[in-house]
Amino acid sequence: MDKYEKVIELAKRRGFLWNSFELYGGAAGFYDYGPLGSTLKRRIEHIWRELYIIHEGFMEIETPTIGIEEVFVASGHVSGFSDPLCECRKCGEAFRADHLVDNMIDVADALSNTELDILIKDNDIKCPECGGDLGDAYEFNLMFRTAIGPGSGRAGYMRPETAQGMFINFQRLSKFYRDKLPFGVTQIGKSYRNEISPRQGVIRLREFTQAEAEIFINPHNKTHPNFERFSGTLVNLYSEDGQERGTIEQITIGDAVKQGIIAHEYLAYHIALTNHFLWRVGISPDHLRFRQHKKDEMAHYAIDCWDAEIETDRFGWIEVVGIADRTDYDLNAHAKTSKTELYVYIEYDEPKMVTNFVVKPDMGKLGPAFKGKAKSVANVLKDMTREELEQDVIKVIVNGEEFIVSPDLVKFTEERVKVSGENVVPHVIEPSFGIDRILYCTMEHAFNEEMVAAQEETGSNKSKDPKKEKRIIFKLKSEIAPVQVAVLPLMTKSELIEPANKIVAVIRDRGLLVSYDDSGTIGRRYRRNDEIGTPYSITIDYESLDDKSVTIRDRDSMDQVRTPIENIGNLIYELVYGEREFKNAGVPV
RNA sequence: GCGCUGGUGGUUUAGUGGCUAUGACUGAGGCCUUCCAAGCCUCAAACCCGGGUUCGAAUCCCGGUCGGCGCACCA
């Protein structure tokens, strides 16, 4: 069993996650989160919200998971996310049908599937791999398509990313932030991609959770006001050059920007923030790196793009976060498709005096001269230069038709005007997190097996080898553990159960996730809690009744301290949220 | 999607064309027990789905599905 299998086995057995629809034989690419799994997920999302929404101030929005066709036409998903495929009947290889006929026709990518089929047949195109016959071309789009409303309805798609919901709300969001850059918006939610072959459990799903931020910044100023916070932070960078050389270098965020490895401060800040988040949820820094997209794999519009990658036992380095400078691409795309300008007005520090060359066609004379064409002629005139207008006869071409305009029909002057700002299409910095993958990685990095001394058997029949046994510990960060503390009466006796229940109530009032367990021996219960990652266990024994104290056990070290019941709720809270060290939680036992 | 391979209690396993389908762990109840999966008793729980061959299929065959691996795909 490799680590992946062990983690998945534990996850299934203990109620973290499992394949969906098991009752009906399952469906690939879908996973259910069980009681502990969904709590773990919420707690990871909670930390994300704390960092991005509370700390950075990027307010969260919620938009539909179904989008109308226009949105994905604009974003490029309708055309770019779909390709005509055709497969070899003999060897099964799949090919881009349009690529197969690329050299015999100019507009291969504009052909319908039927046209492609005819071309392939007429030209007797065979499988480039094995020479076998090719099957019919079919459209494969990674988006789930659906119909909105009855009948044929309006085409809709399950969103393949949460981002578009934020872009198309740009105007309202900009107003919300009083039209001042930079501002950021976030969304955590489900996205859908009809993967051809989803595998690797939760790593590649057809329905998955994304946490995305879209940060709209001034394209003329990509410095970050709070850059100092992270300039000294060390990160593992696997830059484009590093990939050539095969080396990952450890470097501070500040130096990476100075040396031009990361394009600018704003992007670098978000690489560091991502690094911080992944550390907070328990990803081990030794198995984390940031890989720069190579020029040829980066989307053509992006300036720079880095993926956070986490090293896993079975799958190697997997991408969990993408952090990109998408420039003004998305806003421009939606502006064009929706025919609505999307921009922010940015005031200059100092108003500028600008000399404008202004053309004033005399419509009173142009009208009678050119009748219905007068307006078009005037528009062309307005764009002409002084030199062109100073000719004896002015030639104007409208839709290929030439008009001669006499100079007395148009006046022009130079005007000095004060300009205090300009309309700017913001650039977008986009950190995009795959929550399911991160969750899996936190589980894998938390998974530990260690050998511990087994209890010595009493009596004469020492049948079992008493030396060592395996302890499984899920070393989840206490902040994300789905059970934060277990309350365990030492014996299943009512005089211990009653005070134990009182302690449970006190801790719940403090807002902590508690489990109560009185089944089996104390050792068994400790092991059970080790396996689901409960960081602390409280044990109530007979002495507790006299000295009003309990024992707290630390999951990782198995050390115990004795502490008064009186302040137990606050104490556990401080332990869980890192405000107090375990050794300061009481008297060592 | 293609190829190879597998699918037995919650988990992990044994096994065979034919009794009532193993065992371990876990779980539930009880006995015992004053801090790390101890012991004893009792109980619960399974042959991926559909079709075919057969007197009889969980077992053999075909198809599907799910998992794993390889190929392809991964804006």
Side-chain angles (χ1 to χ4, degrees):
Chain A
M1 252 199 191
D2 66 12
K3 210 166 181 186
Y4 172 77
E5 282 176 278
K6 286 178 181 176
V7 170
I8 292 299
E9 189 268 325
L10 173 64
K12 268 197 271 191
R13 192 160 44 81
R14 289 302 195 182
F16 283 87
L17 49 92
W18 52 78
N19 200 215
S20 300
F21 311 115
E22 279 180 335
L23 186 60
Y24 291 103
F30 300 96
Y31 263 75
D32 288 351
Y33 286 91
L36 295 182
S38 35
T39 308
L40 174 62
K41 190 171 177 180
R42 294 292 163 267
R43 300 202 69 77
I44 290 172
E45 290 171 1
H46 181 78
I47 292 176
W48 197 89
R49 286 190 165 97
E50 184 189 315
L51 294 180
Y52 284 85
I53 301 170
I54 298 176
H55 204 275
E56 296 295 323
F58 303 154
M59 297 298 279
E60 185 175 12
I61 66 167
E62 185 176 312
T63 66
T65 56
I66 294 178
I68 59 172
E69 190 156 37
E70 290 90 327
V71 172
F72 300 115
V73 167
S75 69
H77 285 95
V78 168
S79 55
F81 220 46
S82 147
D83 295 314
L85 291 184
C86 102
E87 283 170 20
C88 172
R89 291 192 213 271
K90 195 172 153 200
C91 69
E93 200 82 10
F95 302 95
R96 286 278 297 271
D98 51 337
H99 289 182
L100 291 170
V101 298
D102 221 4
N103 52 357
M104 41 194 77
I105 189 159
D106 286 343
V107 286
D109 55 352
L111 295 175
S112 73
N113 291 343
T114 322
E115 289 170 318
L116 285 166
D117 286 339
I118 293 168
L119 261 176
I120 288 170
K121 274 204 188 68
D122 290 354
N123 291 284
D124 201 31
I125 296 172
K126 297 290 183 189
C127 169
E129 282 295 314
C130 73
D133 287 336
L134 293 166
D136 288 345
Y138 61 94
E139 200 67 18
F140 192 83
N141 191 298
L142 251 41
M143 285 193 294
F144 286 98
R145 191 183 160 95
T146 186
I148 300 169
S152 53
R154 183 177 188 179
Y157 297 89
M158 303 302 291
R159 65 180 179 196
E161 57 177 24
T162 65
Q164 300 306 325
M166 297 184 264
F167 294 136
I168 62 177
N169 277 299
F170 174 77
Q171 284 177 306
R172 290 213 177 271
L173 295 166
S174 181
K175 288 280 170 289
F176 172 84
Y177 285 106
R178 300 196 305 279
D179 291 318
K180 222 166 153 45
L181 296 178
F183 66 85
V185 198
T186 55
Q187 187 160 208
I188 299 183
K190 288 293 187 74
S191 292
Y192 305 81
R193 294 178 194 183
N194 202 0
E195 295 285 351
I196 296 173
S197 77
R199 288 224 190 129
Q200 308 169 334
V202 99
I203 306 298
R204 216 146 133 225
L205 293 169
R206 288 188 165 127
E207 173 173 333
F208 57 101
T209 299
Q210 285 188 307
E212 294 192 299
E214 307 300 336
I215 307 145
F216 300 96
I217 65 171
N218 183 343
H220 307 309
N221 179 10
K222 294 188 176 181
T223 60
H224 195 287
N226 201 14
F227 189 66
E228 278 306 298
R229 177 185 174 198
F230 288 127
S231 61
T233 301
L234 278 170
V235 286
N236 299 322
L237 292 190
Y238 194 35
S239 64
E240 188 169 12
D241 289 346
Q243 288 166 63
E244 296 289 317
R245 296 190 304 269
T247 53
I248 299 171
E249 71 181 311
Q250 200 172 54
I251 185 171
T252 65
I253 285 292
D255 286 344
V257 173
K258 263 191 219 120
Q259 295 173 23
I261 301 170
I262 302 175
H264 52 77
E265 281 188 10
Y266 223 100
L267 198 63
Y269 180 92
H270 282 282
I271 289 172
L273 184 60
T274 300
N275 184 69
H276 177 70
F277 168 78
L278 293 172
W279 169 80
R280 270 279 295 274
V281 299
I283 298 303
S284 100
D286 301 344
H287 299 280
L288 171 64
R289 73 180 182 194
F290 290 87
R291 190 183 70 82
Q292 187 170 35
H293 279 209
K294 294 182 189 167
K295 296 270 180 306
D296 57 357
E297 73 178 295
M298 195 157 57
H300 64 276
Y301 49 81
I303 286 177
D304 195 9
C305 182
W306 294 77
D307 287 342
E309 296 185 327
I310 298 175
E311 192 173 25
T312 58
D313 189 58
R314 181 186 285 197
F315 308 122
W317 291 95
I318 59 172
E319 175 195 345
V320 297
V321 186
I323 309 152
D325 181 340
R326 300 178 60 100
T327 69
D328 53 9
Y329 176 80
D330 303 276
L331 289 180
N332 281 337
H334 284 297
K336 197 175 162 198
T337 307
S338 66
K339 300 189 174 66
T340 306
E341 288 193 72
L342 301 174
Y343 58 81
V344 168
Y345 179 77
I346 296 180
E347 217 168 283
Y348 298 134
D349 296 338
E350 294 282 324
K352 295 176 186 170
M353 290 310 292
V354 178
T355 306
N356 284 342
F357 180 64
V358 183
V359 181
K360 292 177 178 169
D362 188 338
M363 292 314 287
K365 292 174 181 169
L366 280 170
F370 298 107
K371 310 271 192 284
K373 305 272 173 59
K375 181 112 189 244
S376 313
V377 171
N379 284 340
V380 175
L381 286 169
K382 280 180 191 167
D383 288 334
M384 293 183 118
T385 62
R386 173 185 284 269
E387 288 71 37
E388 290 170 314
L389 293 169
E390 280 174 341
Q391 304 296 318
D392 293 339
V393 257
I394 305 163
K395 281 184 193 167
V396 172
I397 296 169
V398 177
N399 294 332
E401 197 181 340
E402 193 176 284
F403 298 90
I404 306 295
V405 181
S406 142
D408 63 315
L409 299 186
V410 53
K411 292 190 166 52
F412 48 89
T413 73
E414 272 176 1
E415 287 177 359
R416 293 281 291 171
V417 289
K418 190 174 84 173
V419 179
S420 22
E422 63 182 324
N423 292 333
V424 169
V425 181
H427 280 197
V428 172
I429 307 298
E430 179 193 75
S432 171
F433 290 68
I435 296 295
D436 309 271
R437 290 180 172 190
I438 291 169
L439 179 139
Y440 170 74
C441 291
T442 64
M443 292 203 298
E444 190 179 299
H445 287 187
F447 185 88
N448 275 275
E449 287 173 312
E450 65 179 33
M451 299 310 286
V452 292
Q455 188 189 30
E456 274 188 48
E457 279 189 71
T458 50
S460 55
N461 56 333
K462 291 201 172 186
S463 54
K464 201 177 152 195
D465 181 2
K467 281 172 290 188
K468 294 271 178 181
E469 65 181 24
K470 194 165 69 182
R471 179 169 86 112
I472 294 175
I473 328 161
F474 222 15
K475 292 188 179 175
L476 296 169
K477 283 278 188 92
S478 56
E479 224 184 326
I480 64 165
V483 175
Q484 294 168 319
V485 59
V487 175
L488 317 169
L490 188 61
M491 295 290 143
T492 315
K493 298 288 180 195
S494 59
E495 56 266 45
L496 297 181
I497 290 172
E498 279 168 31
N501 282 326
K502 279 183 192 148
I503 291 173
V504 168
V506 166
I507 295 173
R508 283 190 176 145
D509 281 348
R510 200 66 186 76
L512 294 166
L513 294 154
V514 192
S515 86
Y516 170 84
D517 188 354
D518 62 11
S519 158
T521 62
I522 190 70
R524 179 186 296 270
R525 284 177 275 158
Y526 284 151
R527 289 293 198 277
R528 265 202 281 252
N529 279 292
D530 289 342
E531 213 178 45
I532 62 167
T534 311
Y536 302 104
S537 299
I538 296 172
T539 308
I540 297 93
D541 56 23
Y542 285 103
E543 266 178 72
S544 303
L545 304 177
D546 300 329
D547 68 1
K548 307 282 182 236
S549 292
V550 289
T551 305
I552 306 176
R553 170 193 182 263
D554 176 57
R555 174 193 68 201
D556 298 348
S557 64
M558 299 201 286
D559 290 343
Q560 298 184 321
V561 293
R562 193 80 181 166
T563 195
I565 294 174
E566 204 186 348
N567 193 33
I568 194 77
N570 290 328
L571 184 75
I572 296 295
Y573 186 93
E574 289 167 13
L575 284 171
V576 166
Y577 290 103
E579 293 161 15
R580 183 190 286 264
E581 284 185 65
F582 182 71
K583 63 180 181 190
N584 298 326
V587 185
V589 176

